[in-house]
Amino acid sequence: MKKKVLVITGGHPFEKDPFFEIFNSFENVDWFHEKHPKALSSLNPEKCDDIDAIVFYDIPGIELKRNTDSPVEVSDPTSEYKENFELLLKAGQGLVFLHHAIAGWPSWERYADVIGGRFHYQPGSLHGVNYPDSGYRFDTTQEIRVVDPDHPICEGIPESFTITDEAYICPIFEDSITPVLRSNFNFKDSSNFYSSSLAMKGEMNSNEIWEHPKGSDLIAWVRHESLSPITYIQLGDGPVAYADTNFRKLLSNSINWVSSKEAKNWVMSERLNQITDQAD
């Protein structure tokens, strides 16, 4: 039986045909697409009752207007949206976040906790720490190393592979995630990256008078929130990555895993371990 998958986009430009072709290539997936703002009303347990996995390739809560006086306009999620999103987590909805989705809802810290980090288009605070805007580097050839070859989302993925894709330097909550993939790109030195805030102001590929704290080389991980199994994959900027065999396999495996009984059992085991640790 095919997996029913909801693909959500909006808030960030992308090349639609090659991106959607990824899902057309998945033989076991029956997918449909919703775009913001309409997609916001679809994220509730009633409408997602028969959805096996939701793939987020969006940036909710931000309107990007390059080369304007206010290039990044931030909005808050409604209380209804927050409540429905929490209900999805309690229902155990499988969630897959891709690439720029880590920048979503910058005014809502809870969303960053769910994903496991946040990309900042402009300076911001997270967990009481003030951060500069995050950094990017387009078309970076990276060697990707599998951290946990036994994890289901790594099935059929070689222990290491090379891909040319965009890299991010941004806060990642390593203590709350289970690592899956690491990159050999140098994330320790922010001079390897460019300021996203300057880019939004029209200064592309610039890091003048900008620096960022040391970053993490983690580019894919799994975690859970409430009863939901969650995957984040930092890869996926454009057509070169879309066509990459390993990227497609990783995404397909992620959809299968977050919607599996195995993932649900893993979540319950992790929750039990947390309760035991707290009791000790």
Side-chain angles (χ1 to χ4, degrees):
M1 186 174 179
K2 289 188 175 183
K3 304 280 188 178
K4 188 172 182 180
V5 176
L6 168 59
V7 180
I8 295 180
T9 67
H12 193 286
F14 66 99
E15 296 194 40
K16 296 179 177 60
D17 289 345
F19 177 72
F20 291 134
E21 198 278 325
I22 299 173
F23 300 93
N24 288 332
S25 73
F26 295 160
E27 295 182 356
N28 70 325
V29 165
D30 180 14
W31 69 278
F32 68 104
H33 168 233
E34 289 195 2
K35 183 180 179 181
H36 292 302
K38 181 183 176 182
L40 295 176
S41 63
S42 298
L43 292 172
N44 64 70
E46 182 179 351
K47 292 186 178 180
C48 294
D49 181 60
D50 62 342
I51 303 297
D52 294 297
I54 303 175
V55 177
F56 295 86
Y57 195 61
D58 61 342
I59 308 183
I62 291 183
E63 187 174 0
L64 303 178
K65 300 178 179 179
R66 285 189 174 90
N67 306 326
T68 65
D69 292 337
S70 300
V72 180
E73 293 188 4
V74 175
S75 59
D76 300 328
T78 65
S79 56
E80 181 182 13
Y81 178 88
K82 290 182 178 180
E83 180 180 352
N84 283 331
F85 194 78
E86 293 293 345
L87 290 174
L88 279 177
L89 298 175
K90 291 178 181 178
Q93 178 67 62
L95 308 177
V96 178
F97 295 92
L98 293 178
H99 196 53
H100 51 249
I102 198 171
W105 295 122
S107 66
W108 186 28
E109 192 166 278
R110 170 71 169 148
Y111 201 68
D113 290 335
V114 169
I115 296 176
R118 179 193 286 161
F119 184 95
H120 293 106
Y121 273 95
Q122 55 190 359
S125 177
L126 191 58
H127 290 173
V129 179
N130 292 324
Y131 287 96
D133 54 296
S134 297
Y136 68 94
R137 181 71 177 259
F138 290 127
D139 301 327
T140 300
T141 299
Q142 310 168 55
E143 183 179 347
I144 307 301
R145 177 173 58 87
V146 173
V147 177
D148 184 2
D150 294 326
H151 197 282
I153 74 170
C154 295
E155 182 180 355
I157 305 290
E159 291 186 5
S160 67
F161 62 92
T162 300
I163 189 170
T164 299
D165 203 351
E166 185 180 15
Y168 288 160
I169 186 170
C170 62
I172 294 173
F173 309 146
E174 293 203 26
D175 292 341
S176 72
I177 61 183
T178 299
V180 174
L181 299 179
R182 294 185 184 272
S183 168
N184 76 334
F185 191 68
N186 184 356
F187 294 85
K188 296 180 180 179
D189 185 354
S190 62
S191 66
N192 292 315
F193 295 85
Y194 302 121
S195 161
S196 58
S197 179
L198 290 176
M200 296 307 300
K201 296 174 182 177
E203 300 180 43
M204 293 297 298
N205 298 338
S206 174
N207 53 21
E208 186 177 356
I209 318 178
W210 172 86
E211 61 181 2
H212 193 282
K214 181 176 69 175
S216 171
D217 62 355
L218 280 173
I219 55 97
W221 58 78
V222 297
R223 65 178 314 278
H224 71 90
E225 196 65 40
S226 191
L227 296 178
S228 284
I230 298 164
T231 297
Y232 173 73
I233 304 169
Q234 194 272 310
L235 303 172
D237 177 56
V240 173
Y242 301 161
D244 186 88
T245 301
N246 291 311
F247 172 72
R248 290 193 174 197
K249 184 64 175 174
L250 186 65
L251 177 53
S252 176
N253 288 348
S254 295
I255 290 171
N256 289 334
W257 181 71
V258 300
S259 58
S260 69
K261 184 176 180 180
E262 180 180 1
K264 303 297 192 296
N265 290 339
W266 174 78
V267 170
M268 295 306 297
S269 176
E270 288 292 295
R271 286 170 59 86
L272 181 60
N273 289 339
Q274 288 178 350
I275 294 171
T276 301
D277 289 342
Q278 291 171 0
D280 293 340

